[in-house]
Amino acid sequence: MSTLSIAIIIVFCIGYFFIAIESVTKINKAAIALLMFVATWTLFMIDPGSYIAAAVGEMKALEVSHVIEHHLGSTGTTLFFLMGAMTIVELVDQNGGFNFVRDTLQTKSKKALLWRIACMTFILSAILDNLTTSIVMIMILRKLVDDKKDRLIYASLVVIAANSGGAFSPIGDVTTIMLWNKGVITAAGVITEIFIPSVVSMVIPAYILSLSLKGKLEIQQAEEAAVDESDSLSAGQRKSIFFLGVGGLIFVPIFKTITHLPPFVGILLVLGVLWTVTEIFYTSIHQESEDTANNTNTQKRVSKMLSRIDMDTILFFLGILMAVGCLETIGALTLLGQTLDVTFAGNHYLVTGIIGVLSSIVDNVPLVAGCMGMYPVQAAGDMAVDGIFWQLLAYCAGVGGSMLIIGSAAGVVVMGLEKITFGWYMKKITWVAFAGYLAGIFCYWVIRTFIMG
C-alpha cells in the first residue's frame, strides 16, 4: 500500500474518531463528515494515476470526475429516499396520523403495556424509519407512564424493538435502505428470511425486561391534540393523508418490483401524490376561509415540511458515504475485506457478527457502506444477491446497534428525550440486547441450514 493511500486512511480514521466523540467535542458530526469527504478526495488528486489507469494528462480531470460522479449517484439514491420518507412521515404526523397508536397502547397492566409497546414499535419501525418511530413512542409513553424508573425500561425497549423492526424491512433502517438501493438484497428476500430472527431479537429482551415490571399503572387521561381553528381539514381528509402516506411507504417495494426502478423513484412518486392531494385540500380551505391572513394551514403544507427536514443527517450521510467511496476507489476496502476473510477463514456468520458488535460502538452507516465496498457481489454463494452475508449484514448492522445507547439513531434520540445515561443503559440493558442479538443470529443459522438448506 502506497504512502498516499495510508495518508487517506489516516485522514478517514481521524475524522471517524471525531465523529465518535461528538458528545465531547460538541462539533456536529455532519461538519466532520463533510471535511472527511473533501480531505480524502483532495489527497486522492495528488496522484490519481496510481488508482485510475486513464487518469493521466488531459484525461485526468475527466476520469476523476466520472469516478466521483459514480459515487455521488450511488449516494444520491439513498439521500433522496431519506428526504422523501422524512417529509412523508412529518406530514402524516402533523395531521394527527399517529394518534391511534396512543389509543391502542392504553392498559392498566405494566407487563401488557410493555408487550404492546414492543409490538407496536416493531411494526411501525418496519414501515417508518426507526428514528421517527422512537420519537412517536417516547412522546406517547410520557402520557401513559409517570414513574421515571419504569419509563426508562419502556424507553430502552423502544430502542431495541425499533432497531429489530427496521432490520427485516427494506425501508425500515438506513442500512437496509442502502443495501436495497445497492441491489445486494431484495425486499422479498430480506423480509422472508430476516423477519423471524428480528422477532426473536426483540421478544427475548422484552421477556427479560418484563420480569422487572410488576403491578398496575394509573391510567393517564390522554389529552386530544388541540386542533387549530384555522386548520379545518375534515376527519376524512386527515385519514386520506394517513393512508396515502403510510400506504405509500408500504407500496414502494412493490413499485420497485414492478418497474425495476431504484427505490428513491418510488418514494418520490408517493411524495408527489401526497403533495398534490394536500395542496388540493388546503387550497380549497384557503378559498373558503374569510380570514386568510391568519390562516396557518400553510404551515402544514409539504413546501413548509421540506424546510424542516433534518439536513444535518442528510449532509452527514453525504460526507461519510463519499469518504467511504474514496476508500473504495483506492482499494483499501477490498484489502480489508480480504483480510477479514483470511483471518476468519471465510466464516461470514463470524464476520458479520463482529460488524454488528462494532455498529454499537460506531455509526453503522459507514460500516455498511464500507462492507458494500469491500465485497463484490457474486453470482452464487454467500455473497450473491440475498446471500447469507448480505442478509446477515442487514440484520447485524441494524440489531447490533441496540447494545449501546449511542449505537443507533433510535438510541441517541431516546437518550436525549429520556435522559438515559450511557452507564445505566450499559449496566441494565446491554446484556439483554446482546442475548437477543445472538439468539437472532442462531435462529437465522437454523433457518438457512435446516429449513432452506
Side-chain angles (χ1 to χ4, degrees), residues 228-231 291-301:
D228 194 292
E229 291 296 326
S230 62
D231 186 358
D291 185 17
T292 56
N294 296 321
N295 195 315
T296 59
N297 285 316
T298 55
Q299 297 302 313
K300 294 187 177 181
R301 290 190 172 189

Side-chain angles (χ1 to χ4, degrees), residues 12-32:
F12 182 86
C13 291
I14 292 172
Y16 206 112
F17 172 74
F18 277 100
I19 289 173
I21 62 169
E22 179 189 16
S23 60
V24 177
T25 63
K26 308 301 181 185
I27 300 174
N28 193 298
K29 63 183 179 181
I32 302 299

Side-chain angles (χ1 to χ4, degrees), residues 96-143:
F98 299 113
N99 288 345
F100 80 96
V101 180
R102 179 198 60 204
D103 299 333
T104 304
L105 290 176
Q106 281 195 337
T107 178
K108 289 185 178 181
S109 169
K110 289 184 178 181
K111 289 188 177 183
L113 178 61
L114 179 135
W115 285 107
R116 290 184 185 186
I117 287 170
C119 293
M120 185 63 74
T121 305
F122 185 85
I123 293 169
L124 283 179
S125 66
I127 302 171
L128 314 176
D129 65 282
N130 53 15
L131 180 63
T132 303
T133 300
S134 299
I135 295 172
V136 171
M137 297 303 292
I138 293 300
M139 294 306 176
I140 293 171
L141 269 176
R142 288 180 174 178
K143 297 180 179 180

Side-chain angles (χ1 to χ4, degrees), residues 424-445:
W424 181 91
Y425 190 94
M426 190 170 185
K427 180 180 178 181
K428 301 284 187 180
I429 308 298
T430 294
W431 72 272
V432 176
F434 185 60
Y437 174 73
L438 291 180
I441 294 177
F442 176 75
C443 183
Y444 181 79
W445 175 78

Side-chain angles (χ1 to χ4, degrees), residues 396-418:
C396 292
V399 177
S402 300
M403 283 184 270
L404 293 177
I405 192 67
I406 62 169
S408 65
V412 171
V413 73
V414 170
M415 181 184 189
L417 290 172
E418 285 299 313

Side-chain angles (χ1 to χ4, degrees), residues 166-194 253 256-257 263 368 372 377-378 382-395 397 444 448:
F168 80 90
S169 167
I171 61 173
D173 188 84
V174 175
T175 52
T176 51
I177 291 171
M178 290 165 57
L179 292 167
W180 187 39
N181 270 309
K182 187 76 170 180
V184 295
I185 59 173
T186 64
V190 75
I191 289 172
T192 54
E193 296 180 40
I194 299 297
K256 181 182 185 296
T257 302
V368 171
M372 290 191 298
V377 181
Q378 298 176 358
D382 289 1
M383 308 302 294
V385 174
D386 276 337
I388 289 174
F389 178 83
W390 299 115
Q391 290 189 341
L392 266 180
L393 183 61
Y395 169 86
Y444 181 79
R448 294 292 300 217

